[in-house]
Amino acid sequence: MAFNAVNNLFGIGSSSMMSRALGRKDYDTVYRSSAFGFYASLICSLLFSLLYGVLQSPILVMLGANAETIQATADYLFWTVLLGSAPSILNVVLAYLVRAEGSSLHASIGTMCGCLLNIVLDPIFILPWGLNLGAAGAGCATCLSNTVACLYFFVLLFVKRGKTYVCIKPSMFRPSKQIVKGVCGVGIPASIQNLLNVTGMTILNNFTSAYGSDPVAAMGIAQRVNIVPFQIAMGFSQGIMPLISYNYTSGNIKRMKKTFMFTANFAWLYFGRDADVRVCGGAIISMFMKNESIVAYGAAFQRGFCFALPFLCIDFLALGVFQSCGMGMKSFIFAVVRKIVLEIPALFVLNWLFPLYGLAYAQFVAELILGTIAVVVLVRMFRRLEREHAAPYVSDSESVK
């Protein structure tokens, strides 16, 4: 959770600042923004390592480790935090920075090579037929995989030197009020949004625990199944950010709006066709556990989660637009309204009206209301921008002609 907060703070914040500066052709700000994001995240990662190294025992107790689990927890955190915090954070932040200049393919390759390597190394390092390192093996595999992902990005930047706007030269790490405000203005709301997502999930699990172990297991499985479309929706949101930022600051509002509408229509059709997931919910849940009671609960929960997906994607796209345009306050308000004002109160109300089963529909209620608000806000925003840029847009190629 702490690593993700740093990733969102400096990854999303710096990438948004870079893309907006590229649209203005303010290349000095592009270089300085990327250097600030890289070195600020590096400093935070080293502070994580130092903090854990100094306060290891109290941190393990705070995390809930007991006499049976403390050694395994310490072994895992030795690799993932003490030694692995820097590569864990930097490989994600570098992916954001590379994506900011439009190199989405390289960002995907760098991230996925680490993920796939982790999948391959885990059984080798953990299981008895391999190195039999247990929890330490899981941590070591994660550390090595993140290091490989980092190396990919470092090699990429070296190969593309002189042709990339991503700058990690120490001489460009000169934080100014403009850079810090621009990065944090977008990055802090993104971090808060991540923490609120975890908070909402924790409250949902606490409500479910009152009904016994089978509903808890079913809710956990349904949440993990729901993570797949959740991350796809997040991918749509983050994918449009560089293009939205660039066109916003370059004044090409028509193309900016067209980018959003194309993505929103595609996402709505993609997530609107989730009837197969609702119908086959039991079969999907049974892939994780064969218990009939858990499968029945999980299928019911999965149907509730599926109804929220189209509206969830619209909400994420709206947040992506706000973050792309440097509208940190709007993205912060939307994140707070989504969880604190809508979803968490809906959990209380729906659990009271429809015990247990109503919990799975709280997200649908929240996303439906917020999605309606998002559409209204975006329509007004695009109309205002079109009025402000009423003069016909002339592309660089047309200007040259």
Side-chain angles (χ1 to χ4, degrees), residues 21 150 339 362:
C150 274
K339 287 295 178 182

Side-chain angles (χ1 to χ4, degrees), residues 94 148-161:
L94 284 169
V148 169
C150 274
L151 290 175
Y152 175 86
F153 287 115
F154 288 137
V155 171
L156 174 67
L157 295 180
F158 177 78
V159 171
K160 293 182 64 177
R161 62 191 185 282

